Amino acid sequence: MRLGSGTFAACCVVIEVLGVALFLRGFFPAPVRSSSRTEHQAEPPAPEPSTGASSNWTKLPPPLFSKVVIMLIDALRDDFVFGSKGVKFMPYTTYLVEKGASHSFVAEAKPPTVTMPRIKALMTGSLPGFIDVVRNLNSPALLEDNVITQAKAAGKRMIFYGDETWVKLFPQHFVEYDGTTSFFVSDYTEVDDNVTRHLDKVLKRGDWDVLILHYLGLDHIGHISGPSSPLIGHKLSEMDSILMKIHTSLLSEERENLSPNLLVLCGDHGMSETGSHGASSMEEVNTPLILISSAFERKPGDIRRPKHVQQTDLAATLAIGLGLPIPENSVGSLLFPSIEGRPVREQLRFLHLNAVQLSKLLQENVPSYKKEPGFEQFKMAERLHGNWIRLYLEENTSEVLFNLGTKVRRQYLDALRTLSLSLSRQVAQYDIYSMLVGTVMVLENPAHPNSRWSELDVVILLGTMGHVLSLGASSFIEEEHQTWYFLVNTLCLALCHEIYRNCFLGDDCEPRRCSHGERGFVNTAPALQDGSIGHDELEPHRASKSPTSLNTLRGWEKWMAMASPWVILTCCRLLRSLNQTGVQWAHRPDLGHWLTSSDHKAELSVLAALSLIMIFALVQRRCSLTSKVAMALGLLGVYCYRAAIGNVLFPWQRDSKDISKGLIEARFVHVFVLGILFTGTKDLLKSQVIAADFTIKTVGLWEIYSGLVLLAALLFRPHNLPVLVFSLLIQTIMTKFIWKPLRHDAAEITVMHYWFGQAFFYFQGNSNNIATVDISAGFVGLDTYVEVPAVFLTAFATFAGPVLWASHLVSFLSSETSSGSALSHACFCYALICSFPVSAYIILVTSLRYHLFIWSVFSPKLLYEGMHILITAAICVFFTAMDQTNTKS
Amino acid sequence: MKDTDIKRLLYTHLLCIFSIILSIFIPSFFLENFSILETHLTWLCVCSVFVTAVNLVLYLVVKPNASSKRSSLSYKVTRFLKCCIYFLMSCFFFHVIFVLYGAPLIELVLETFLFAVILSTFTTVPCLCLLGPNIKAWLRVFSRNGVTSIWENSLQITTISSFIGTWLGAFPIPLDWERPWQVWPISCTLGATFGYVAGLVISPLWIYWNRKQLTYKNN
């Protein structure tokens, strides 16, 4: 069984990947949909309700605004407009909000706070499922009913400038468009200039009905340098002047046409304190939404806190404003202030249209819709509305009519709110069947018998169990890094215990009688030195007694072996303070922020240079000469790349030259990465042909490993390079002083690698939150957005920790043992230890699917786990391939 | 013989538990606003002093490892000083471990240190009382099959359970319940205390159940 167990495990993991994929498909539910197809949606709009005398108003009301301009600024957070930054950098907008004819709201975006789902939400009024994050990278055309499609059907002429996503979502909808790609995050000026350059011409021309502008620069600045960067202020001022330009031009046009126009300023999502987005923190969710039109009443000196509304409400409002039917899947309710100025009959008509649309959606999605409070409220309001119409048509202009009108309006607004709420809740429906099948497939993993129980095994087993159990609590998922740091520390202390026991006692069973022993459990640095004196005396005893202990090491090496757990613990502690991650303590100051702030560029440069030198020193010792040279040049290239894009300084180049994308430098490094990987593969193949030479294979594997290290060095941000150094350092120390002398078996070494890999995943600054994925890594060396390499690079940069540790495991095990069984055994263990948490997590998520935090905490973790298991599968396949070559040779 | 020993062990342990309970209630007579959570540091000091005192008194009264040889005063003084140094060293050592485990380095130094003190009280002080400043003996007791009396056996159990209690006490910290006892280091000190008390309770019982199997070299 042993021989095939590796292959077997690899197959199991591949099946598990399929299982997880199936589960994900079932878990992320299809959003609330209207069952009627787009073809036969040409049904007439609902007529006004009436009792008795029939109303003559059955057509859709005419548009309220002749022209609509939507100015969407990516990652515009509410405090950028309504807060102190707004007052400082956006004076015109602040003036409009406080004194002008405008209505301002804080629109709440539902997670995932990523651009494409947000655009969909704004235009369809529906809530896109979480899986849209994954589809974010290739957005297919939007087939759902939406405002843009309706406007096109109504013959409106639309013009779009900005994020290319729109053009993909709405192909052939715009009479004129210019798409800018949203994935090249390091550019934040050109991307907006490309939008603004059309503006003068278009505003002058005036042959359009809807103009949509999507500015990406602010989001890019956020990704590069966070919300407190000085660049934000410049960008906001630029946006403010653009808004002023549009508004003045609209006003001057209104003077000629005498029909009001509408200007909408909104954000698609906010920006977290680290400058990213995707999750559900307050900063990411709250966006400003300002409707500006001369049709609204001016409110001199009336400063109110903007009301909180849903982002989905905009679709219904826009549809009404343009005189279009409300998109059928919209769960939003009309923003009432925007129609406040209209006559009561029109107001009621609009509210009725909205309520009819929502109740229809409710009927199609909830079987027991009649019992829903919202529906009852709506029926009530409709009846009252009928009465009001009758009175109105009887030309009853008394106070009764007015009072009834107010009552109907209130009733409608309540109904809308309740309907909208109960529809939003509907999104939490699951496809249990496919979840079940997925779970069964995932569970198809055999248990592994455990024979020997040392303290280390107990720690490993309890740690794994504890970690799995902790996945049931949302806080433990948010703070999973703490779990791993804690476990890795405990592992180090357990190793420390083992080393000291080996050193001082030699044998488990017999306590040593020597004149100068030292305490083995609790040991400090001074104690260490004492211990060494005792050692020389112990030497002859142990040599005869326990051949497995540390007696292979001599002199200073023994000291090193005893110091090594403490060195590793110190490294971990330093790394821990490099990147604060998680939720509760994420705002704490950390070394990473200190280094990346522009004041400390010199320190960062020195650190990056030192780290690169250290990386070379640690990696080169087992490489062949060619790859040594390639490695050195590659690391030099990494520094040049970082200098070219302005992250670090050249010592001889004091003046800041203009920042480029560093294409040449990055590609230069890419070439060396490929070269090293190629040399490694060549060596592996050679070892297979020659079959006798074992060292070639070891060198080949190490070269592949060092190629990956070089790629990671290129993709990591400069302040994260120490993570790579410490990873290499810990690997070297553990290989030399712990794994080799103590002769751990393959399973233990595998689990240790897995734990360290997980800890390093979080040391890099990752968390179980979509927002911490560093998408800029996907654009290193790429001119434009190319899907496959970008996705690959981003995934590698994110999972660099686990991948590097796993590939170190392969290289270590095949250099240590000439027999193939260790490798296949390790593969089996690796597959088991990776898939156990995934399977358990899937069961937990299934049982917790109605948990309050299912979308904000559990779902992103599920996506991470899915990706992790995919990468594990790839690693296991690599393992098996190595195992096969081993058994052949 | 053995049963009387176990009974003595049980009584001494009950006294230790009693001293911890006293440390909760006695200070409230003298200090205003005393509570474990709000004036946690005071409680830590009081508890540490009480437990140390009870341990010392018990050591002097019960004399579990009564040595026949008489020793001079200077020997006793050096021995006592050595014990103090060992105690301090263990406090610093635990402090370092806590920082390595992620305790803040600069802020809350006093809290962390007092936590180290209380953990030393639960672990190092009984060791010092029973075994003296003799690392060799410590090593022997804490290695497999190294115990030579029920006293050492119970010492092993209480020390390990204190450590486990401390270790488990760190788990509630990341939870978002926002309770006052989740603040560093309260949950850990409480965990250590519970672990210690549990060890005190468990060890006589465990020794009693297993009295047939247990054979010590001395007895």
Side-chain angles (χ1 to χ4, degrees):
Chain A
M1 189 238 168
R2 264 285 159 81
L3 205 70
S5 67
T7 326
F8 177 63
C11 293
C12 279
V13 174
V14 170
I15 291 174
E16 190 169 355
V17 169
L18 292 177
V20 171
L22 197 64
F23 181 86
L24 284 177
R25 199 176 158 67
F27 182 75
F28 293 107
V32 177
R33 290 271 186 276
S34 171
S35 58
S36 62
R37 296 278 104 218
T38 11
E39 291 93 69
H40 39 93
Q41 62 144 32
E43 55 188 276
E48 264 188 325
S50 56
T51 47
S54 66
S55 151
N56 50 359
W57 196 11
T58 51
K59 287 208 302 288
L60 266 183
L64 303 178
F65 309 105
S66 61
K67 279 200 167 80
V68 173
V69 179
I70 301 172
M71 182 171 168
L72 195 155
I73 302 173
D74 215 283
L76 188 65
R77 203 159 87 172
D78 62 338
D79 68 319
F80 286 169
V81 178
F82 302 132
S84 60
K85 276 211 176 83
V87 176
K88 195 168 163 196
F89 299 114
M90 303 188 81
Y92 189 74
T93 317
T94 313
Y95 162 74
L96 284 177
V97 166
E98 286 175 1
K99 303 214 172 65
S102 69
H103 293 295
S104 40
F105 308 93
V106 173
E108 191 183 312
K110 284 266 183 284
T113 46
V114 183
T115 299
M116 195 193 64
R118 289 337 331 139
I119 295 177
K120 283 189 185 172
L122 282 169
M123 288 302 125
T124 63
S126 61
L127 292 170
F130 210 92
I131 203 72
D132 274 318
V133 182
V134 184
R135 293 197 201 129
N136 193 11
L137 293 176
N138 61 351
S139 45
L142 187 61
L143 297 173
E144 253 180 86
D145 189 13
N146 61 72
V147 178
I148 303 287
T149 315
Q150 294 282 8
K152 187 177 180 242
K156 304 265 180 200
R157 289 173 60 80
M158 285 173 289
I159 295 182
F160 171 77
Y161 300 116
D163 188 351
E164 211 178 31
T165 318
W166 285 78
V167 183
K168 285 185 190 154
L169 280 177
F170 310 106
Q172 292 145 17
H173 282 65
F174 303 110
V175 289
E176 195 181 311
Y177 62 84
D178 182 13
T180 52
T181 174
S182 60
F183 284 103
F184 202 80
V185 290
S186 54
D187 156 40
Y188 50 84
T189 43
E190 220 174 291
V191 80
D192 285 353
D193 290 342
N194 279 343
V195 177
T196 315
R197 64 179 175 178
H198 302 283
L199 210 55
D200 284 321
K201 195 173 64 210
V202 166
L203 288 176
K204 208 171 285 166
R205 227 168 50 198
D207 58 342
W208 42 269
D209 303 298
V210 181
L211 172 64
I212 301 171
L213 306 167
H214 187 147
Y215 284 98
L216 285 169
L218 190 66
D219 183 48
H220 291 186
I221 292 174
H223 280 298
I224 297 166
S225 52
S228 49
S229 148
L231 292 171
I232 296 271
H234 291 293
K235 187 50 84 180
L236 289 179
S237 313
E238 183 192 334
M239 292 296 127
D240 193 48
S241 60
I242 291 168
L243 186 94
M244 182 159 82
K245 186 192 278 179
I246 299 171
H247 191 227
T248 28
S249 125
L250 285 181
L251 282 181
S252 68
E253 208 219 65
E254 264 173 41
R255 251 170 259 131
E256 294 162 19
N257 292 7
L258 293 173
S259 59
N261 295 326
L262 176 69
L263 172 57
V264 181
L265 174 71
C266 60
D268 55 347
H269 50 73
M271 187 188 287
S272 70
E273 277 311 310
T274 53
S276 203
H277 56 88
S280 53
S281 69
M282 288 296 279
E283 292 87 7
E284 287 160 274
V285 160
N286 286 344
T287 62
L289 170 61
I290 304 174
L291 307 177
I292 306 162
S293 169
S294 52
F296 303 148
E297 261 175 61
R298 279 174 168 274
K299 34 177 182 172
D302 179 20
I303 305 164
R304 278 174 302 177
R305 291 285 308 145
K307 218 175 89 184
H308 274 256
V309 297
Q310 293 297 314
Q311 207 176 32
T312 44
D313 296 346
L314 184 67
T317 314
L318 276 180
I320 295 288
L322 285 166
L324 306 168
I326 298 171
E328 53 187 3
N329 294 332
S330 162
V331 297
S333 58
L334 181 61
L335 294 171
F336 184 69
S338 64
I339 55 165
E340 224 166 14
R342 312 296 301 177
V344 181
R345 187 179 184 187
E346 270 185 48
Q347 287 183 17
L348 294 184
R349 175 89 174 116
F350 292 138
L351 290 172
H352 178 240
L353 281 173
N354 196 188
V356 165
Q357 175 261 330
L358 284 179
S359 64
K360 201 185 280 171
L361 194 59
L362 189 73
Q363 282 180 38
E364 277 158 7
N365 283 287
V366 184
S368 58
Y369 65 92
K370 286 209 170 111
K371 286 189 195 113
E372 289 280 329
F375 192 75
E376 283 165 15
Q377 278 173 349
F378 162 65
K379 282 294 167 205
M380 176 78 169
E382 205 173 33
R383 219 164 28 244
L384 283 175
H385 189 184
N387 288 340
W388 187 88
I389 294 286
R390 189 160 46 83
L391 283 178
Y392 181 81
L393 291 178
E394 284 165 11
E395 317 234 327
N396 189 345
T397 50
S398 69
E399 207 171 303
V400 180
L401 186 72
F402 176 76
N403 285 343
L404 189 60
T406 327
K407 196 178 166 196
V408 175
R409 192 167 66 194
R410 205 173 46 238
Q411 189 76 30
Y412 265 130
L413 288 174
D414 285 346
L416 283 180
R417 200 174 316 119
T418 329
L419 279 171
S420 167
L421 208 71
S422 57
L423 277 169
S424 310
R425 219 179 296 126
Q426 278 301 307
V427 180
Q429 283 179 332
Y430 300 94
D431 181 355
I432 292 288
Y433 176 72
S434 56
M435 272 160 78
L436 215 67
V437 175
T439 314
V440 170
M441 276 169 85
V442 167
L443 283 179
E444 223 181 83
N445 252 309
H448 172 59
N450 222 332
S451 52
R452 196 168 64 89
W453 291 85
S454 68
E455 282 93 340
L456 192 70
D457 292 335
V458 174
V459 167
I460 283 172
L461 198 81
L462 287 182
T464 313
M465 299 296 285
H467 167 242
V468 168
L469 287 180
S470 80
L471 292 178
S474 60
S475 319
F476 278 130
I477 292 179
E478 282 173 346
E479 310 288 332
E480 201 190 341
H481 58 288
Q482 303 278 10
T483 313
W484 284 114
Y485 299 166
F486 198 72
L487 287 179
V488 163
N489 269 346
T490 310
L491 178 75
C492 283
L493 285 184
L495 285 173
C496 184
H497 171 211
E498 200 174 327
I499 290 171
Y500 287 114
R501 203 179 51 205
N502 255 312
C503 274
F504 294 117
L505 298 175
D507 203 341
D508 283 355
C509 306
E510 196 184 335
R512 287 222 44 89
R513 312 273 176 202
C514 61
S515 56
H516 195 129
E518 263 301 342
R519 48 211 270 224
F521 286 80
V522 279
N523 211 318
T524 47
L528 259 175
Q529 287 158 6
D530 286 343
S532 59
I533 304 168
H535 256 320
D536 300 335
E537 296 170 40
L538 303 186
E539 212 68 357
H541 292 272
R542 206 182 19 259
S544 57
K545 214 178 274 171
S546 55
T548 56
S549 70
L550 289 164
N551 62 347
T552 45
L553 303 176
R554 308 245 152 233
W556 66 274
E557 284 188 322
K558 196 158 259 159
W559 294 24
M560 276 303 296
M562 285 190 293
S564 58
W566 302 100
V567 174
I568 295 167
L569 282 170
T570 317
C571 289
C572 290
R573 186 64 180 85
L574 285 174
L575 286 176
R576 191 190 176 102
S577 45
L578 185 66
N579 286 309
Q580 289 283 5
T581 166
V583 172
Q584 281 191 52
W585 294 280
H587 60 277
R588 291 274 184 89
D590 55 22
L591 285 175
H593 276 91
W594 185 82
L595 285 169
T596 43
S597 76
S598 48
D599 305 337
H600 303 111
K601 218 171 182 180
E603 285 91 335
L604 182 65
S605 311
V606 171
L607 184 72
L610 275 179
S611 305
L612 292 172
I613 293 168
M614 283 285 286
I615 290 172
F616 178 71
L618 287 167
V619 162
Q620 53 90 25
R621 70 206 150 84
R622 285 163 65 190
C623 284
S624 63
L625 187 66
T626 22
S627 42
K628 248 181 224 177
V629 174
M631 193 74 196
L633 286 174
L635 290 171
L636 200 65
V638 170
Y639 193 84
C640 294
Y641 168 70
R642 288 295 162 188
I645 64 166
N647 283 338
V648 295
L649 299 166
F650 270 128
W652 56 87
Q653 213 165 31
R654 280 274 147 227
D655 54 325
S656 56
K657 57 164 194 165
D658 17 313
I659 293 161
S660 72
K661 288 174 185 173
L663 283 180
I664 303 166
E665 291 87 347
R667 282 177 185 165
F668 177 78
V669 182
H670 278 314
V671 166
F672 282 111
V673 171
L674 290 177
I676 294 174
L677 288 178
F678 176 74
T679 326
T681 325
K682 196 188 73 188
D683 283 347
L684 280 182
L685 292 175
K686 203 196 275 172
S687 79
Q688 207 156 1
V689 175
I690 299 172
D693 206 347
F694 180 63
T695 49
I696 289 184
K697 185 176 154 153
T698 318
V699 170
L701 277 173
W702 185 264
E703 274 165 351
I704 288 182
Y705 171 66
S706 54
L708 292 179
V709 169
L710 181 57
L711 184 59
L714 175 66
L715 298 181
F716 274 14
R717 301 207 173 185
H719 74 272
N720 266 343
L721 285 173
V723 177
L724 205 55
V725 175
F726 282 131
S727 151
L728 289 166
L729 192 68
I730 292 175
Q731 282 163 358
T732 315
I733 290 175
M734 290 197 93
T735 308
K736 199 149 185 201
F737 301 112
I738 296 180
W739 293 324
K740 276 188 190 173
L742 291 180
R743 306 204 178 156
H744 287 119
D745 74 3
E748 285 166 339
I749 292 177
T750 311
V751 175
M752 285 187 231
H753 271 95
Y754 172 71
W755 281 20
F756 270 102
Q758 289 301 105
F760 271 85
F761 177 75
Y762 295 102
F763 282 142
Q764 278 169 244
N766 287 324
S767 71
N768 283 326
N769 184 333
I770 301 286
T772 48
V773 176
D774 179 14
I775 54 169
S776 70
F779 302 90
V780 173
L782 296 179
D783 199 5
T784 52
Y785 173 66
V786 194
E787 188 166 342
V788 176
V791 169
F792 172 77
L793 289 178
T794 313
F796 179 77
T798 311
F799 285 91
V803 170
L804 286 181
W805 276 86
S807 47
H808 183 265
L809 176 64
V810 181
S811 132
F812 172 74
L813 282 180
S814 54
S815 74
E816 274 309 285
T817 41
S818 44
S819 71
S821 77
L823 208 56
S824 82
H825 187 48
C827 174
F828 184 81
C829 290
Y830 196 80
L832 188 76
I833 196 132
C834 288
S835 53
F836 182 50
V838 182
S839 343
Y841 186 65
I842 280 181
I843 296 171
L844 279 172
V845 164
T846 313
S847 55
L848 292 175
R849 64 188 179 282
Y850 296 113
H851 193 282
L852 181 61
F853 294 141
I854 192 78
W855 293 112
S856 54
V857 177
F858 290 100
S859 306
K861 170 70 183 161
L862 192 59
L863 291 179
Y864 269 107
E865 284 295 332
M867 193 63 207
H868 188 207
I869 197 77
L870 186 68
I871 283 172
T872 308
I875 290 168
C876 284
V877 169
F878 181 59
F879 258 108
T880 317
M882 286 305 106
D883 193 25
Q884 294 305 317
T885 56
N886 242 350
T887 44
K888 266 179 206 164
S889 64
Chain B
M1 168 69 195
K2 226 174 175 185
D3 281 349
T4 53
D5 258 3
I6 294 175
K7 220 172 255 174
R8 270 168 71 197
L9 182 76
L10 181 67
Y11 290 145
T12 53
H13 281 190
L14 286 179
L15 270 176
C16 286
I17 296 173
F18 188 60
S19 74
I20 291 178
I21 296 171
L22 278 186
S23 75
I24 298 171
F25 292 109
I26 287 203
S28 53
F29 294 118
F30 302 102
L31 300 168
E32 276 179 42
N33 309 327
F34 177 83
S35 76
I36 293 189
L37 295 183
E38 274 149 44
T39 52
H40 189 69
L41 297 185
T42 326
W43 176 72
L44 283 185
C45 298
V46 171
C47 182
S48 169
V49 169
F50 271 50
V51 172
T52 313
V54 166
N55 265 301
L56 283 177
V57 168
L58 285 176
Y59 163 69
L60 291 175
V61 172
V62 181
K63 284 201 173 56
N65 53 346
S67 57
S68 53
K69 65 179 175 193
R70 305 188 63 78
S71 45
S72 64
L73 185 72
S74 66
Y75 173 76
K76 277 182 179 164
V77 170
T78 48
R79 187 179 154 96
F80 180 74
L81 285 179
K82 237 180 166 182
C83 281
C84 291
I85 292 169
Y86 270 61
F87 179 74
L88 271 182
M89 264 170 60
S90 90
C91 290
F92 285 115
F93 173 71
F94 284 134
H95 190 109
V96 169
I97 296 249
F98 298 152
V99 171
L100 288 177
Y101 259 97
L105 183 66
I106 299 157
E107 306 147 40
L108 302 173
V109 174
L110 186 64
E111 278 85 348
T112 311
F113 188 73
L114 283 179
F115 173 31
V117 169
I118 193 109
L119 189 58
S120 300
T121 312
F122 292 151
T123 55
T124 319
V125 167
C127 286
L128 286 170
C129 285
L130 202 64
L131 307 170
N134 181 356
I135 295 292
K136 192 183 74 185
W138 294 25
L139 261 182
R140 176 175 54 76
V141 170
F142 289 103
S143 55
R144 249 179 231 172
N145 308 329
V147 288
T148 55
S149 72
I150 58 166
W151 297 97
E152 289 176 359
N153 207 331
S154 73
L155 180 72
Q156 201 183 24
I157 293 172
T158 48
T159 308
I160 289 174
S161 68
S162 305
F163 283 134
I164 291 176
T166 315
W167 194 78
L168 292 176
F171 278 90
I173 297 178
L175 291 170
D176 58 356
W177 300 339
E178 311 204 344
R179 297 295 155 87
W181 48 266
Q182 281 180 301
V183 180
W184 172 257
I186 299 181
S187 63
C188 286
T189 53
L190 293 183
T193 315
F194 284 127
Y196 180 58
V197 170
L200 289 177
V201 173
I202 290 167
S203 61
L205 297 178
W206 190 83
I207 290 169
Y208 183 72
W209 295 134
N210 293 290
R211 65 190 185 282
K212 295 272 152 45
Q213 285 84 18
L214 290 174
T215 47
Y216 300 115
K217 281 169 194 169
N218 287 15
N219 296 0

